[in-house]
Every structure is written in structure tokens, then in C-alpha cells.
Amino acid sequence: MYVKMRAGDYSAIADVHRDAGNMDEALAYYEKGLKAIQKACGKDSAYTAVFLCDIGDTYKKTEDYEKAMEHYRQALKIQEHNGSDLTWSYIRIARIYNALKDYDAAEHFYGKASGSETADSYTKGVAFYNMGQMYHERGEYSPALSALHKALESINQDGDNAYAESNVQNTLASVYAESEDSLDKAIV
């Protein structure tokens, strides 16, 4: 029990370092936490997958996409084994592929996330939003608009998510403006 609590402490310290931009320190504490949680709960526990995602997120912030992907894939494997919801892992993996400009792979994983039967509507909305941003980045305005409208619809199904809605509407406005379509359409 104390080892599990220690892992939580390491995670909290790592979060502070990551938020402060001290990525090496953050990684060191996440690694300590990972070892502790594996000792307390096992290498295939859901907690282990969380630590792997945190480590992957930190590597993503440093733009070490190879290491980020490695940790996300390890987490996904554990989540598949445990029957956990895979949606956020799909989104994380898609974001890495998007950063690497492997848009076909990113689209595949965003599609898996947005089509997930276990995800809540907000999370599906996040997947659609990221997909819309990817299409926008590629200059593919029609699929971008479609994905962003789905994001807006999904994000609001579970309640008021004003901040997320604002982000989607801002991106919609940009896409409409760049596609030389009527900007009025972006105001929902």
C-alpha cells in the first residue's frame, strides 16, 4: 500500500516539474513512480498504463516522438489486455503520427477514437476536433469542417463544455476563413 502511495507522490512531483518545463526531472520522477507502481500492482496494471502515458506525454512535450510512441504503445498493449477504454491512447498515438506528418496513420487512430463504443461524447468530440485540426493543417477544408461540426455536436452532448466549444468554434472560423467560405457559417 505504501509503495502505491509513493508512486502517487512521485507522479505529483513529476507533474509539477513537467508543468514547470523541467522535463528531465519530470521523467526521472515518472520513472521512479513507474517502478513503484509496477512493484505494487504489477507490470500489466491499469496504473502502470497511466504512468506509461504520463511518460509518453512528457516525451511528446520534448518532441521525442519515438520515445513517446514507445510508451503509448506499451500503455495501449496493457489497456487492450485489461479490457480498458482505449480511446485516449488512440488519441495520443494519433497526435504523434500527426506531429510526424504521417496523416494516414493519424487519421486511422483518430477514426478509432471517434468510433469508440466505450468513450463518452466529450472524448469522441476531442478525437473529432483533433481530426479536424489535422485536415485543416493539410488544407482539406471540407473534411475539416465535417469533423469539427461532429466535434461540436459530440462535445456538448454530455453537458456544458464552454471552453472546449470555444476552441472548436475558433478553429471552425479559421477553416471557413481560409476556405473562402462564408465566415457567418462558423458562428453557431
Side-chain angles (χ1 to χ4, degrees):
M1 179 169 152
Y2 293 113
V3 175
K4 188 174 177 184
M5 288 173 41
R6 187 176 327 128
D9 292 342
Y10 287 140
S11 178
I13 294 167
D15 289 346
V16 170
H17 279 294
R18 186 172 66 189
D19 291 345
N22 304 325
M23 299 307 169
D24 291 337
E25 288 292 320
L27 287 168
Y29 278 101
Y30 282 132
E31 290 291 345
K32 287 179 183 181
L34 177 62
K35 287 178 184 171
I37 208 67
Q38 286 174 330
K39 181 178 180 183
C41 301
K43 291 186 182 229
D44 290 333
S45 76
Y47 296 111
T48 297
V50 169
F51 271 91
L52 290 167
C53 285
D54 286 339
I55 293 168
D57 290 346
T58 306
Y59 279 120
K60 181 180 179 278
K61 281 190 171 228
T62 67
E63 297 182 358
D64 188 340
Y65 300 126
E66 186 176 320
K67 286 189 179 180
M69 182 68 82
E70 174 187 327
H71 286 83
Y72 291 155
R73 292 268 186 200
Q74 289 175 23
L76 180 63
K77 185 176 179 181
I78 291 169
Q79 292 165 332
E80 288 172 336
H81 176 75
N82 292 338
S84 302
D85 181 34
L86 308 174
T87 311
W88 279 105
S89 286
Y90 290 151
I91 291 170
R92 283 179 168 99
I93 290 169
R95 286 174 175 166
I96 295 296
Y97 281 125
N98 190 54
L100 295 171
K101 306 217 182 297
D102 185 346
Y103 298 119
D104 290 338
E107 184 176 31
H108 171 74
F109 279 96
Y110 285 139
K112 288 178 91 159
S114 63
S116 171
E117 294 181 18
T118 58
D120 60 38
S121 296
Y122 176 83
T123 305
K124 288 182 181 186
V126 170
F128 281 122
Y129 175 68
N130 281 275
M131 187 183 296
Q133 285 186 309
M134 177 194 67
Y135 287 130
H136 179 211
E137 184 179 308
R138 290 167 51 175
E140 297 179 18
Y141 300 118
S142 181
L145 292 170
S146 176
L148 291 167
H149 281 290
K150 288 177 185 175
L152 199 56
E153 183 180 310
S154 296
I155 283 171
N156 286 321
Q157 281 183 4
D158 292 336
D160 181 29
N161 292 299
Y163 179 75
E165 181 179 348
S166 174
N167 285 337
V168 175
Q169 287 181 341
N170 184 35
T171 304
L172 271 168
S174 294
V175 173
Y176 276 116
E178 289 176 30
S179 69
E180 298 179 6
D181 207 333
S182 172
L183 191 57
D184 293 336
K185 291 181 183 177
I187 301 170
V188 181

